[in-house]
Amino acid sequence: MERSPNSQRRRIMIAATASAVAAGAAMVLRPSGVVIAHPHGSPLAVELGDLPVGKLRTVEWQSKPVWVLRRSEGSLAALASHEDLLIDPESQQSMQPPACRNRQRSLRPDIFVAIGLCTHQGCAPNLQGDSGFLCPCHASRYDVAGRVFQAGPATANLVIPAYRFEADNRLLLGVDA
């Protein structure tokens, strides 16, 4: 049975569309958190009351994944122990609000907020427990403050967006503190 060129073209287009949708869903829906889509550019409120210690929530803001991680006391204490292995331990060359230029790179030590894209080629790193993040594409490593280790190809810390706390368990992305 011979198929018409239009029939074959239609099947190829359907397969390509399905593949693109599946790839997009795989990039956005990670087992580490729930993704909440939001219109481009406007501030986004993120509720933290149900975010347990050690867990990462991923939200979409300005067409980028933004991580919100509730850090443990142990992971915070470990931040000072590996600074000699980091490229920019004091975040002097990093993109972050001025109020986040500290060891924790955050407004509050227990809550870490960052753009969830590797600074090497834009892949999405994965949380590796209390030890930080690992990019599956080229093995760049970041600590739980988003500071990059010297051993991988990435040369810059993760980007910290503007945000502020509206309440103890609610933050607003896209506005200065």
Side-chain angles (χ1 to χ4, degrees):
M1 177 175 142
E2 194 171 312
R3 294 187 179 144
S4 72
N6 286 341
S7 167
Q8 287 178 309
R9 191 175 303 127
R10 190 176 314 113
R11 282 190 173 88
I12 291 170
M13 292 302 292
I14 289 170
T17 302
S19 295
V21 169
M27 287 184 348
V28 172
L29 297 174
R30 287 191 276 276
S32 60
V34 176
V35 174
I36 304 164
H38 198 69
H40 179 76
S42 58
L44 173 64
V46 180
E47 296 294 333
L48 306 174
D50 63 342
L51 184 63
V53 172
K55 294 299 178 183
L56 179 72
R57 175 164 295 149
T58 303
V59 298
E60 183 180 323
W61 177 71
Q62 292 190 348
S63 301
K64 295 180 184 99
V66 175
W67 294 335
V68 181
L69 171 66
R70 190 176 299 270
R71 296 183 281 205
S72 69
E73 289 292 324
S75 66
L76 287 169
L79 288 176
S81 68
H82 56 257
E83 289 184 336
D84 57 328
L85 303 174
L86 302 171
I87 290 176
D88 184 16
E90 295 177 7
S91 301
Q92 296 303 307
Q93 284 79 47
S94 298
M95 292 179 62
Q96 76 251 323
C100 294
R101 188 160 286 159
N102 51 49
R103 178 174 282 147
Q104 298 84 20
R105 297 189 71 222
S106 60
L107 297 177
R108 244 175 54 187
D110 64 323
I111 301 294
F112 174 63
V113 178
I115 304 293
L117 297 173
C118 179
T119 57
H120 175 236
Q121 289 190 342
C123 297
N126 298 312
L127 181 62
Q128 305 289 301
D130 277 352
S131 64
F133 303 92
L134 175 66
C135 182
C137 297
H138 300 103
S140 291
R141 288 183 38 227
Y142 302 86
D143 68 7
V144 293
R147 300 177 302 174
V148 68
F149 284 88
Q150 297 168 5
T155 59
N157 293 341
L158 294 175
V159 175
I160 309 296
Y163 71 97
R164 73 171 182 229
F165 285 93
E166 289 192 315
D168 194 42
N169 280 314
R170 181 181 169 100
L171 66 84
L172 190 61
L173 284 171
V175 293
D176 290 324

